[in-house]
Amino acid sequence: MHSPTSFARRSFSTRRAVPLFTAIALAAVLTGCAGRGTAPANPSAKTDFTTVTIVTPATESDHGWNQMGLAGAKAAAAATSMKLASDTNVGYDNTQTILTQAAQKSGVGFVIAHASGFGQAAASANAKTGVPFLITDVPTAQVKNKIGVITFSAQQGGYLAGIAAAKTTKTNKLGIAISADDVNWFTMSGGFIAGAKSVNPSIKVNVAYIGAASYDDSAGGKKVVQQLIAAGDDVIFGMGDGATVGYVAAVDEANQAGNKVKYIADIGDVSDLVTNPDEVLTSVLWIFDGAYTQAIKDIKAGSFARAPYDLNLKNGGIKLQKTADMTADITAATTKAQAGIEDGSIAVPDTTTKKQLTALLN
């Protein structure tokens, strides 16, 4: 399931990130710790470890990032006969200590630092303990046998979602709700627009932003989706984490008032949030199982962090959720498009910035 294809982003996600970090900062941390004269507690990665740990900033109740990261870690641990330890809802205070302590626990030989804001703290914890860490989003931060990086070809899933939306809308108006200035939100949105226009070049797509870092702003999410629905958008693609609760609430209320609005989620499964499951057209699921499993196998084989662990359509890391509303026509169209993306005959735009997304939109 591991894709060895390199993944070079011009910018990276601020997802759940308080301070951003760079490869230079990570290198400085690793070099500085190595020269302090204090021997690491575990100077080299062990291959006989029994436990994998995942540390997350929030809980699975976000129906997205944390939900799917935790599910992937559970599946990967089971697939590799590992024990799984989890430290959830840790926020961003004192993360270096939290990650170091996670790595120092008995039997632990791999720590998943499940937030891009954990990158620098993970590098420090690795330098102190020698336990390999998997961080998020920055391929240039990869350090052989020490720091692995998980990346996302999220635009591919967005393209398929756009096809599903274009084949579902009755108003020929689609809405995108974005909770933050996040590269993955921009790439998925760009893919969505391109996918929708591949079905109907004249289709209208509106984009509404909550704020620069409003991942968990449920009230703001509800407000922007209400605005999109008021503009006539009858399929809404929402990217938000905690803001998703507000997105779904707006769709729910609109449908109870007699509208017929469909919702497309991102990353996780939101079916338990809606009053009527029929309101969810699909979700662009991020499946971490394969990447985490491959990382564990690579550590045991001494080949960890040779290339980013990318989630994409071909390796099953990105996929559309199957629902009752994914008709035979939609399924046939998205299956055909997926084959085209995988063989290179369909080029999905990689809009990593708001400026690029706006240009595509216009």
Side-chain angles (χ1 to χ4, degrees):
M1 298 287 285
H2 166 219
S3 170
T5 305
S6 63
F7 186 97
R9 289 288 192 201
R10 290 177 290 281
S11 59
F12 61 92
S13 169
T14 59
R15 170 183 312 286
R16 302 131 199 102
V18 183
L20 302 183
F21 66 92
T22 66
I24 294 175
L26 288 174
V29 169
L30 290 166
T31 303
C33 290
R36 291 175 184 168
T38 301
N42 180 13
S44 62
K46 295 181 179 179
T47 60
D48 60 347
F49 62 96
T50 59
T51 304
V52 174
T53 295
I54 183 170
V55 181
T56 66
T59 70
E60 65 272 11
S61 64
D62 69 343
H63 292 79
W65 178 255
N66 295 278
Q67 177 197 66
M68 297 303 284
L70 288 163
K74 182 178 180 180
T80 54
S81 300
M82 292 278 124
K83 297 177 183 177
L84 177 66
S86 59
D87 196 352
T88 65
N89 207 30
V90 305
Y92 292 92
D93 295 331
N94 205 28
T95 52
Q96 182 176 327
T97 298
I98 292 170
L99 292 173
T100 299
Q101 290 175 344
Q104 289 175 330
K105 290 181 179 179
S106 178
V108 173
F110 177 43
V111 178
I112 301 166
H114 193 59
S116 59
F118 290 172
Q120 188 169 343
S124 297
N126 167 265
K128 185 173 183 180
T129 67
V131 172
F133 277 76
L134 186 64
I135 63 172
T136 301
D137 274 333
V138 189
T140 52
Q142 178 180 286
V143 181
K144 182 179 176 180
N145 293 329
K146 298 175 181 292
I147 304 292
V149 183
I150 192 163
T151 55
F152 312 95
S153 295
Q155 69 276 11
Q156 297 178 350
Y159 190 92
L160 301 187
I163 292 173
K167 285 185 167 291
T168 299
T169 180
K170 304 302 182 184
T171 64
N172 285 321
K173 293 182 178 180
L174 310 177
I176 301 175
I178 299 178
S179 65
D181 292 343
D182 182 303
V183 66
N184 292 310
W185 290 175
F186 297 147
T187 58
M188 272 199 294
S189 297
F192 180 83
I193 293 166
K197 288 185 176 294
S198 75
V199 175
N200 178 4
S202 64
I203 201 165
K204 176 69 174 178
V205 183
N206 296 309
V207 178
Y209 297 90
I210 304 175
S214 302
Y215 292 103
D216 297 317
D217 185 355
S218 177
K222 184 176 181 179
K223 182 178 180 180
V224 298
V225 169
Q226 287 173 332
Q227 292 169 348
L228 291 169
I229 294 172
D233 303 334
D234 64 348
V235 181
I236 306 296
F237 186 27
M239 283 157 277
D241 295 335
T244 299
V245 176
Y247 296 160
V248 172
V251 172
D252 247 352
E253 290 183 8
N255 287 335
Q256 289 173 23
N259 293 280
K260 293 183 178 180
V261 181
K262 298 291 185 180
Y263 182 72
I264 299 177
D266 78 295
I267 300 183
D269 180 5
V270 302
S271 57
D272 66 331
L273 288 178
V274 295
T275 301
N276 180 359
D278 187 53
E279 291 174 347
V280 179
L281 175 57
T282 187
S283 177
V284 180
L285 298 175
W286 292 14
I287 311 296
F288 291 86
D289 310 19
Y292 290 168
T293 298
Q294 188 63 52
I296 293 168
K297 291 179 178 179
D298 287 348
I299 293 170
K300 288 187 170 290
S303 56
F304 178 63
R306 298 300 194 272
Y309 296 86
D310 188 47
L311 303 191
N312 54 60
L313 290 178
K314 189 172 185 177
N315 63 26
I318 302 289
K319 64 171 61 176
L320 287 189
Q321 184 179 28
K322 294 180 180 179
T323 68
D325 284 347
M326 290 289 285
T327 63
D329 180 46
I330 294 173
T331 299
T334 54
T335 298
K336 182 178 179 180
Q338 178 167 340
I341 293 170
E342 292 182 9
D343 68 23
S345 60
I346 294 177
V348 181
D350 192 14
T351 51
T352 60
T353 67
K354 183 184 287 188
K355 182 178 181 180
Q356 291 173 338
L357 177 60
T358 301
L360 179 65
L361 189 66
N362 292 335

